[in-house]
Amino acid sequence: MSAAPAAVFFALAALASFVVRDAFLLDSLILILLWGSAAAAWNVAGGYAGQISLGHSAFFGLGAYGAAVLGTRWDLSAWIGLAVGAVVATAAGLVLGFLSNRLRGPYFVLATIAFSQVLLIVASRLRAFTAGSEGIPVPFRPGFWTLGLADKRVWVWIVLVVAVLAYLLQRYLDVSRRGYQLAAVREDEDAALSLGVAARRLKVAAIAVSAALTAVTGALWAQYVGFVDPFYVFSVDLSVRFALASIIGGLGTALGPFLGAVLVTTVETYLRAQFGGIGAGLVGIYLVVYGTALIVMVRFAPQGLVGWLRRS
Amino acid sequence: MGLTLIFGVMRVVNFAHGEFLMLGMYVAFWAFALLHFDPYVTLIVSLPLFFALGWVSYRLIMRPVVHASHNVQVFTTVGLSIALQNIALVLWTADARFVRTSYYAVVVRVADAAFNVAQFVAFGVAVACTAALFAFMRWSYTGKVMRATAQDRQASALMGIDTDRVYALTWTIGIACVGVAGVLLAPVYPVYPTAGLQFVLIAYVAVVLGGLGDMAGALLASLIVAAVEVAGSYVIGTAWKEVLYLLLFIAILMVRPAGLFGQRGAEALGT
Amino acid sequence: MSLLSVAGVTKRFGGITANRGISFDVAPGELVGIIGPNGAGKSTLFEIISGFYRPEEGDVRLDGVRLTGLSPDRVCRLGVARTFQKLRPFAGLTVLGNVMVGALTRTKDVRHAREQAREIVARVGLEDKADAHARTLSTGQRKRLELARALATRPRLLLLDEVTGGVDQRTIPALVQLVRELHASGLTLLVIEHNMRVITAVTQRIIALHLGEVIADGPPDVVARDRAVVEAYLGQAYTR
């Protein structure tokens, strides 16, 4: 697929940051780009390498906690927290990559869920370090260095840079040698091995890169939203959100996760706004929609939006 | 147990299993709260209910993807799980609810351990169900057909077995089992929308440990898990017990990958 | 000096010994057929040579370099390519993409790999299918694709597992011709084949396996008349 639609997409986002003044719309834009980047990171492992993980919230959470803990405890820069989160997540990604070499299909999925649940329990129980199940409020410290940015336009630019990087990473996998080899591993690992592809190393690398990128989005999210709740950042629902955006947009396509994120984020924002006020329980409706969408998409449109656009 | 059956025959890992368990618990709760049904009366009523639920969910959701790739099945059942969980959340809120029977505090002593009646009954019924299911699979014609399908989909289809019906039946029985289990657990544990998750993880540990698709193994394994649970909470405290489970779970998956689920193991036997 | 040397290879699965002390050598440029009734251990032997199985005993060497214990991708990079009995194309990739994966093992340059892949695709007669997705191919075309993919890794030794198995009768001659051409171009081949007519037509040498052991090794007409071989096949026919 050509890069033109993506160029249009990102250019529009950049343009919007200059034109749009409405805080709500800017907020939506930031979240779309952020969730799009997280979905793109998931897509590197799930779509390109075929390693379906429902434990990716583990990496998101590590990034979020990295930024929050280092910022509140040692008063370090949010950027350092982000970097530390990414490094820790890469290490965790290596562990998950190791699992992917031993487990196939549904067993890998099960293991990834267990993996994120372990981190959830650790984060919510290690009171001394993470403030336990209450979560960590991230204090607003003005300045770029501490990512305390009142101007939402600056946020748009920051997440836009991350989004473009995530997109370019996927484009690299569309056209490069490693990309072809990774596709072979996804389609049939044994056949790839028989053709001289170092399948295991490649898979581990893909998962580790995916983990690092997910952690970056997690750290930014924590700084932007200002609060880290272990039951949210390590939840299976969050992992499913990444996967869902990729699937809706188109598995293994570079632009797909972003298109998916547009849809998922918009629908969620709308449903939350519609039902949020009536009763706390009704907030769950957007998750019912998620679940249903997942079932419907894999059955009727496994190629996602991108596949659908390509055909028409 | 329902899990083993569904996986063993259909080769589908059902991520929505815990949610059916949760539904079973809610059925027991509402029957108790509104109709003052004793959970054990509900048990009898809920059996056909869950058979129906299983059948409907199979027709609507599972049938189109039975022959699809694992990933499609994973996403479908995950989607089902999330939808059910949050339907429960929307309808019945996140509050934990309890079924308080009159005999709640009654305790049965076996050797040194104390069980309350509900736990005792749950255990008894579980063993009886397993035995019944085991016998069914072993001796009845339908059971034999199910095992044949498990071994070789295509060959069975060629032999004139309606594999689609076998899958429908398997799924339905599996869901019925877990629904009943939910009703049984209701007097012992609180009910809330994500209640299924904690049980299903334990169930998965047991099932994987015993060998997926192997029912006697699963029962044996659940005893081992119970032992680990008791030992674990004694040694490292209840708080970290779940971590132990999860690590145990991953470790088990790791130790026996090829034999249980790898393609290579199957190939080896085929040559 | 032999190109492939298999020495005393034994492989067990539980109580079953799939390969028992198998030894033979293949000289450069040879085309050797492997026959044997079902369960003789032919496929297991292929899995061992290509690095998917690790034998309990014995050694496999390519041009003196030990292959045993190496991973399949290493074995491939050292010059052994294979096809699978049960075909395993990369279904979601195009024919060209499939073959490029093989070519990229020898070159880092994607464009270069694409050119090479195009040539090889033409060589196996799939040029008009180059941009089709692999899942749309017929069985015969898939066999060609597997062959092309393996060739793209520029092997010194090619292992073919049942080239004509499960293929429409009419396409067999073309596939046989393709194997002949590969052999004529100097490639060393080890071929598992069920179809006796095919194998005697293309090879000068046949190795017969039975119950995991080599029971005959020689020219096709000699092996075909070998007592042990005849009994192995008849025995199977009777017990069936």
Side-chain angles (χ1 to χ4, degrees):
Chain A
M1 196 171 85
S2 87
V8 172
F9 179 84
F10 291 119
L12 277 178
L15 189 68
S17 74
F18 292 104
V19 181
V20 178
R21 284 280 170 272
D22 183 60
F24 177 74
L25 285 180
L26 282 177
D27 184 58
S28 300
L29 182 62
I30 292 165
L31 287 179
I32 283 172
L33 290 172
L34 203 56
W35 292 130
S37 306
W42 183 89
N43 196 30
V44 167
Y48 283 91
Q51 303 306 305
I52 302 294
S53 154
L54 290 179
H56 253 57
S57 59
F59 309 128
F60 189 87
L62 285 175
Y65 267 101
V69 170
L70 263 64
T72 50
R73 229 155 250 286
W74 291 290
D75 211 27
L76 288 170
S77 159
W79 293 103
I80 295 177
L82 181 147
V84 169
V87 169
V88 175
T90 306
L94 292 176
V95 173
L96 205 64
F98 173 69
L99 291 175
S100 81
N101 280 333
R102 301 291 303 267
L103 303 168
R104 293 187 179 195
Y107 307 97
F108 176 66
V109 182
L110 282 171
T112 60
I113 294 178
F115 185 75
S116 66
Q117 292 301 301
V118 168
L119 288 184
L120 165 63
I121 297 168
V122 171
S124 61
R125 295 275 155 75
L126 269 184
R127 298 191 141 272
F129 192 64
T130 63
S133 52
E134 290 115 63
I136 306 181
V138 183
F140 184 82
R141 294 173 295 164
F144 184 76
W145 189 234
T146 44
L147 271 175
L149 304 163
D151 189 348
K152 283 204 191 291
R153 281 179 305 169
V154 182
W155 270 109
V156 174
W157 299 330
I158 292 174
V159 289
L160 187 60
V161 168
V162 174
V164 170
L165 285 178
Y167 175 78
L168 290 178
L169 171 68
Q170 293 180 90
R171 282 301 290 172
Y172 168 76
L173 293 179
D174 279 339
V175 296
S176 68
R177 173 172 184 256
R178 288 212 176 82
Y180 274 98
Q181 294 186 324
L182 205 55
V185 172
R186 174 190 67 213
E187 297 288 327
D188 189 328
E189 194 174 330
D190 280 351
L193 277 172
S194 81
L195 296 175
V197 177
R200 299 183 153 223
R201 259 212 329 256
L202 217 52
K203 263 195 323 194
V204 172
I207 293 172
V209 169
S210 164
L213 190 56
T214 310
V216 169
T217 63
L220 289 175
W221 179 86
Q223 290 297 324
Y224 180 67
V225 175
F227 187 75
V228 180
D229 170 10
F231 295 101
Y232 180 71
V233 296
F234 287 114
S235 69
V236 177
D237 293 349
L238 195 59
S239 301
V240 172
R241 169 205 286 267
F242 305 150
L244 182 65
S246 286
I247 291 167
I248 287 182
L251 266 185
T253 62
L255 191 57
F258 294 100
L259 294 182
V262 172
L263 214 67
V264 171
T265 311
T266 316
V267 169
E268 182 186 330
T269 311
Y270 173 76
L271 288 175
R272 272 175 185 268
Q274 282 293 309
F275 298 102
I278 301 170
L282 286 175
V283 175
I285 280 193
Y286 81 93
L287 283 165
V288 178
V289 175
Y290 268 19
T292 317
L294 195 55
I295 299 173
V296 171
M297 282 305 288
V298 294
R299 179 165 163 202
F300 294 105
Q303 306 290 316
L305 281 175
V306 170
W308 180 72
L309 288 172
R310 255 183 226 165
R311 251 176 292 135
S312 57
Chain B
M1 209 158 49
L3 208 60
T4 331
L5 191 68
I6 289 177
F7 181 80
V9 177
M10 296 169 72
R11 312 266 153 206
V12 172
V13 170
N14 180 11
F15 285 90
H17 221 68
E19 277 57 52
F20 284 104
L21 188 89
M22 173 269 292
L23 288 180
M25 292 172 82
Y26 269 112
V27 166
F29 170 78
W30 287 115
F32 182 74
L34 300 178
L35 308 168
H36 306 289
F37 273 19
D38 187 280
Y40 302 114
V41 179
T42 312
L43 194 63
I44 298 155
V45 188
S46 67
L47 196 62
L49 184 74
F50 275 94
F51 260 105
L53 195 63
W55 183 260
V56 170
S57 60
Y58 179 80
R59 282 280 133 180
L60 283 180
I61 295 162
M62 289 316 291
R63 194 161 74 145
V65 300
V66 183
H67 299 286
S69 75
H70 274 314
N71 288 347
V72 171
Q73 292 166 352
V74 166
F75 285 130
T76 303
T77 55
V78 166
L80 185 62
S81 151
I82 293 178
L84 288 177
Q85 222 176 71
N86 290 286
I87 287 172
L89 179 69
V90 170
L91 293 179
W92 305 314
T93 75
D95 301 344
R97 294 162 195 268
F98 300 87
V99 175
R100 282 275 175 269
T101 50
S102 52
Y103 43 85
Y104 176 76
V106 180
V107 164
V108 181
R109 289 201 167 271
V110 180
D112 263 349
F115 300 93
N116 63 42
V117 178
Q119 275 175 318
F120 208 72
V121 173
F123 181 76
V125 175
V127 170
C129 276
T130 311
L133 213 53
F134 186 77
F136 172 74
M137 290 298 280
R138 182 129 201 136
W139 288 297
S140 79
Y141 174 74
T142 321
K144 282 178 188 163
V145 166
M146 281 161 92
R147 281 187 295 143
T149 312
Q151 277 185 5
D152 193 331
R153 246 179 219 196
Q154 278 179 333
S156 309
L158 286 174
M159 304 291 276
I161 293 173
D162 182 351
T163 52
D164 184 46
R165 263 193 61 193
V166 172
Y167 289 141
L169 198 64
T170 312
W171 177 268
T172 309
I173 295 178
I175 298 304
C177 282
V178 77
V180 166
V183 176
L184 281 171
L185 286 173
V188 191
Y189 296 95
V191 196
Y192 47 94
T194 51
L197 192 67
Q198 54 164 331
F199 293 109
V200 95
L201 277 171
I202 300 169
Y204 264 113
V205 175
V207 165
V208 173
L209 185 65
L212 278 161
D214 180 351
M215 258 176 288
L219 191 68
L220 188 69
S222 46
L223 293 176
I224 297 174
V225 172
V228 170
E229 179 179 354
V230 173
S233 38
Y234 194 70
V235 177
I236 58 172
T238 26
W240 296 92
K241 189 175 69 184
E242 283 161 75
V243 174
L244 190 71
Y245 273 147
L246 294 164
L247 293 180
L248 180 74
F249 177 59
I250 296 176
I252 293 160
L253 281 170
M254 298 287 287
V255 174
R256 308 183 56 183
L260 284 174
F261 0 96
Q263 278 283 306
R264 278 184 211 159
E267 264 169 26
L269 293 171
T271 32
Chain C
M1 180 67 192
S2 60
L3 179 68
L4 175 72
S5 160
V6 177
V9 163
T10 296
K11 175 77 194 169
R12 297 184 195 91
F13 295 108
I16 305 156
T17 307
N19 281 178
R20 194 193 307 268
I22 291 188
S23 298
F24 63 89
D25 280 38
V26 177
E30 248 191 313
L31 193 169
V32 179
I34 294 186
I35 62 166
N38 285 334
K42 306 182 295 282
S43 291
T44 304
L45 181 61
F46 263 34
E47 301 290 337
I48 289 170
I49 298 173
S50 56
F52 281 93
Y53 290 160
R54 196 184 188 135
E56 273 86 36
E57 289 159 37
D59 249 344
V60 178
R61 281 167 195 276
L62 185 77
D63 214 1
V65 178
R66 203 161 165 239
L67 301 183
T68 354
L70 297 183
S71 59
D73 54 314
R74 287 289 306 279
V75 171
C76 172
R77 287 199 290 274
L78 285 169
V80 179
R82 66 169 295 184
T83 63
F84 291 89
Q85 182 184 4
K86 194 172 164 239
L87 297 170
R88 315 180 73 150
F90 303 127
L93 305 187
T94 62
V95 166
L96 202 62
N98 266 266
V99 182
M100 278 172 72
V101 172
L104 284 165
T105 293
R106 296 292 174 208
T107 172
K108 305 244 179 260
D109 181 21
V110 173
R111 212 171 320 151
H112 192 202
R114 187 171 289 124
E115 282 160 26
Q116 284 181 351
R118 230 175 254 294
E119 271 168 44
I120 294 166
V121 165
R123 189 164 160 200
V124 300
L126 283 176
E127 57 269 57
D128 50 333
K129 288 275 175 193
D131 296 317
H133 276 260
R135 69 165 68 86
T136 62
L137 300 185
S138 69
T139 310
Q141 288 166 335
R142 284 175 193 216
K143 296 245 173 192
R144 285 164 188 273
L145 175 60
E146 285 233 345
L147 206 58
R149 217 166 55 169
L151 284 173
T153 67
R154 282 195 247 136
R156 304 168 71 192
L157 170 71
L158 181 57
L159 310 175
L160 298 181
D161 202 340
E162 303 223 12
V163 193
T164 64
V167 175
D168 175 0
Q169 284 292 321
R170 285 164 303 175
T171 59
I172 289 180
L175 282 168
V176 170
Q177 184 55 32
L178 193 57
V179 173
R180 275 220 183 89
E181 282 167 23
L182 292 176
H183 182 221
S185 71
L187 189 63
T188 312
L189 290 119
L190 196 56
V191 183
I192 292 180
E193 186 55 69
H194 264 311
N195 189 326
M196 277 302 273
R197 206 146 27 124
V198 167
I199 207 153
T200 46
V202 294
T203 70
Q204 288 83 53
R205 179 181 162 204
I206 286 178
I207 295 169
L209 298 186
H210 182 48
L211 299 175
E213 287 180 88
V214 175
I215 52 168
D217 182 349
D221 50 331
V222 177
V223 171
R225 264 179 275 125
D226 185 282
R227 245 193 90 129
V229 176
V230 174
E231 271 173 11
Y233 274 92
L234 285 181
Q236 194 197 25
Y238 283 133
T239 51
R240 259 190 183 170

